[in-house]
Amino acid sequence: MSVTTITKNHSGLASSGLAATERTAPSGSSGGVAPQPRRWWALGALCLSLLIIVVDTTIVNVAVPTLARVLHPSSSGLVWIVDAYTLVFAAMLLPAGTLGDRYGRRNALLAGLAVFGLGSAGAALTTTAPGLIAMRAVMGAGAAFIMPATLSLLAAVFTDPTERAKAIGIWSAVSGLGVALGPTVGGWLLERYSWSSIFWVNIPVVVAAIAGAVLLVPASRAPGRVRMDIPGALLAALAFGAITYTLIQAPSAGWASVTTLGRAVVSAALLAAFTGWELRSSHPMVDLALFRNRAFTAANVSVTVLFFGLSGITFVWTQVLQFVMGYGTFAAGIRALPSAIVLMLVSPAGPRLAARFGIRAVVAAGLAVMATGLALFTTAGASSGYPHFVIGMVIMSAGLGLAMAPTTQAVMMVLPAAKTGIGSAITNTTRNIGAVLGVAVVGSVASTLYTGSMSTARVPAGPLGTATRQSIGAAATIARHLPGGHDLLAAASTAFVHGADAGAWIAAAVALAAVPVAVTRLPRRAGS
């Protein structure tokens, strides 16, 4: 297991504008290193930085109706207000991880926080949809520097393997918690303030995170001088940007359409070009030999599956709460909190259980528990009460919490000190792709089955009927303003829950399919 220890390595960083003393150690060092005295406070600063960027992946979703009314974007413009952040985030992760290894991970964190804060202020001040899309892209670029830096800095601060495992458990809990907190925080702000508040709220958090990073987080970078692989960075950005774009657009364009297939071919060609370049380069950005390590590969597959399930089911769950059960944005967010709280409580237990029973056993058990919760979700109908749905979500979150930290621990075990930044970026890239794929697949299945079921339902004539057949949100809004709208809403609710159940079955099947991978490929215990 590679462990980053604390030795000083002074370097001038004039090009980044952030002078810092960087600390790192050779891969494999483990003993005789005094722990950082303020390491747990440093973890707090890192988790705060992580929380704000994860919350922003979902907080804008609840503001979509408000943004549509105020900014009057086109339908595609409304989609890109949400997705520009995710697209740039995914595309920039690998280059950002490399830059952190080269110029310093704390420098990357500070630069990312500054960019994210400026993007948030710009988003709050804009008055046009194109301007908001551009600022969301800026925020995504900042987030791409923040996320891998938090995990690689954590590895540098916590040199004791036992403490590092605990820290990873807390980091993982915050990572999952942010996904659920977005709708709750967004709903609360929108019920009290203008839509710009969902961006202004980032500013004090960014300021606090920057102060914490400067005061508490020691500088860290790769030993030696990491050479920049500029063609590899460009190809990585293009390849993973194309993959993410294809997945985002597939539900609306049609999974089997010529457009989607063409985009998939382009994405595959760019990924092949990136892989070919990295294999030939004398100083590759990504050491593809890492994927020959079965623990590294299996851990990344597990991360992808975990966030496929989490993001996919969260996407339909929030719609069930708002449109089927009729809760407002804030009330729906509050009712989604039990699963987030369970995730937060269970995640720190994952490393402890892994130390006792082994990483392999805990991750496999977590995936199986997650699949069980998703399967319970599928047994719900439109008339099922809130307890039925939330029990399924809580069980799913418990499984996610069990597995998330040990999978991250397995990744960090095999990374040399020089590659913790890019290694963290690889893991976060697979996580993002899993999240985007989960929303795309589960959402697409739910939407397709909803539209099919509503094609035979009695709906209003004309444009209202068309809108009702296409969206449960539109159906719920229209039903509230029609005489006898209760029957229309009941039909739409039944159709949507049926589609959501099918999407949850897919997520459960994917989680179960990953269990054999965890059992056969992950290490039994740390260091094995």
Side-chain angles (χ1 to χ4, degrees), residues 12-20 103 107 110-111:
L13 299 175
S15 61
S16 70
L18 293 168
Y103 293 111
N107 290 341
L110 292 171

Side-chain angles (χ1 to χ4, degrees), residues 178-226:
V179 174
L181 280 182
T184 306
V185 174
W188 185 84
L189 289 170
L190 289 169
E191 287 190 2
R192 288 160 177 79
Y193 308 104
S194 74
W195 64 267
S196 62
S197 63
I198 64 173
F199 300 111
W200 284 126
V201 72
N202 293 338
I203 304 302
V205 181
V206 165
V207 171
I210 289 175
V214 170
L215 296 173
L216 301 169
V217 179
S220 167
R221 76 179 182 101
R225 189 69 169 173
V226 178

Side-chain angles (χ1 to χ4, degrees), residues 121-399:
L125 292 170
T126 192
T127 57
T128 67
L132 183 54
I133 292 169
M135 289 300 100
R136 289 280 290 162
V138 171
M139 293 169 69
F145 281 84
I146 294 168
M147 180 167 270
T150 60
L151 187 54
S152 54
L153 284 165
L154 180 154
V157 171
F158 289 91
T159 57
D160 177 73
T162 301
E163 284 196 343
R164 180 184 292 181
K166 292 177 182 177
I168 288 175
I170 295 170
W171 184 93
S172 299
V174 171
S175 178
L177 179 64
V179 174
L181 280 182
T184 306
V185 174
W188 185 84
L189 289 170
L190 289 169
E191 287 190 2
R192 288 160 177 79
Y193 308 104
S194 74
W195 64 267
S196 62
S197 63
I198 64 173
F199 300 111
W200 284 126
V201 72
N202 293 338
I203 304 302
V205 181
V206 165
V207 171
I210 289 175
V214 170
L215 296 173
L216 301 169
V217 179
S220 167
R221 76 179 182 101
R225 189 69 169 173
V226 178
R227 294 176 63 186
M228 280 301 297
D229 177 16
I230 294 176
L234 292 174
L235 285 170
L238 290 172
F240 289 101
I243 291 169
T244 306
Y245 180 81
T246 300
L247 293 174
I248 288 171
Q249 294 293 95
S252 59
W255 286 93
S257 68
V258 173
T259 300
T260 297
L261 294 176
R263 289 168 179 162
V265 169
V266 171
S267 299
L270 287 169
L271 187 60
F274 168 68
T275 302
W277 174 265
E278 294 300 284
L279 289 172
R280 292 192 303 271
S281 175
S282 61
H283 52 284
M285 181 180 70
V286 177
D287 183 4
L288 296 177
L290 284 171
F291 289 97
R292 296 183 190 140
N293 185 301
R294 65 182 191 176
F296 183 82
T297 301
N300 278 289
V301 168
S302 299
V303 168
T304 304
V305 169
L306 290 170
F307 279 87
F308 177 94
L310 172 64
S311 298
I313 202 65
T314 299
F315 179 74
V316 295
W317 166 230
T318 54
Q319 294 182 75
V320 169
L321 285 170
Q322 291 184 53
F323 304 130
V324 175
M325 298 186 180
Y327 296 116
T329 52
F330 180 55
I334 290 295
R335 284 163 177 80
L337 280 180
S339 57
I341 292 170
V342 167
L343 176 61
M344 182 176 64
L345 294 176
V346 172
S347 290
R352 293 198 297 271
L353 292 171
R356 181 173 181 180
F357 299 106
I359 291 175
R360 178 181 296 179
V362 173
V363 173
L367 287 165
V369 171
M370 184 178 189
T372 301
L374 291 166
L376 179 59
F377 189 99
T378 68
T379 63
S383 59
S384 298
Y386 169 74
H388 187 122
F389 286 100
V390 80
I391 289 171
M393 291 297 295
V394 162
I395 294 172
M396 185 275 297
S397 295

Side-chain angles (χ1 to χ4, degrees), residues 376-474:
L376 179 59
F377 189 99
T378 68
T379 63
S383 59
S384 298
Y386 169 74
H388 187 122
F389 286 100
V390 80
I391 289 171
M393 291 297 295
V394 162
I395 294 172
M396 185 275 297
S397 295
L400 177 67
L402 280 176
M404 192 157 48
T407 56
T408 305
Q409 184 183 5
V411 169
M412 301 308 289
M413 280 168 51
V414 302
L415 292 175
K419 294 291 184 180
T420 56
I422 186 62
S424 301
I426 292 170
T427 298
N428 287 310
T429 298
T430 60
R431 162 202 163 120
N432 274 13
I433 289 175
V436 173
L437 188 61
V439 172
V441 172
V442 175
S444 182
V445 168
S447 177
T448 299
L449 292 180
Y450 170 82
T451 301
S453 297
M454 290 299 289
S455 64
T456 58
R458 294 182 60 184
V459 299
L464 290 180
T466 301
T468 298
R469 291 189 179 96
Q470 291 177 345
S471 164
I472 177 64

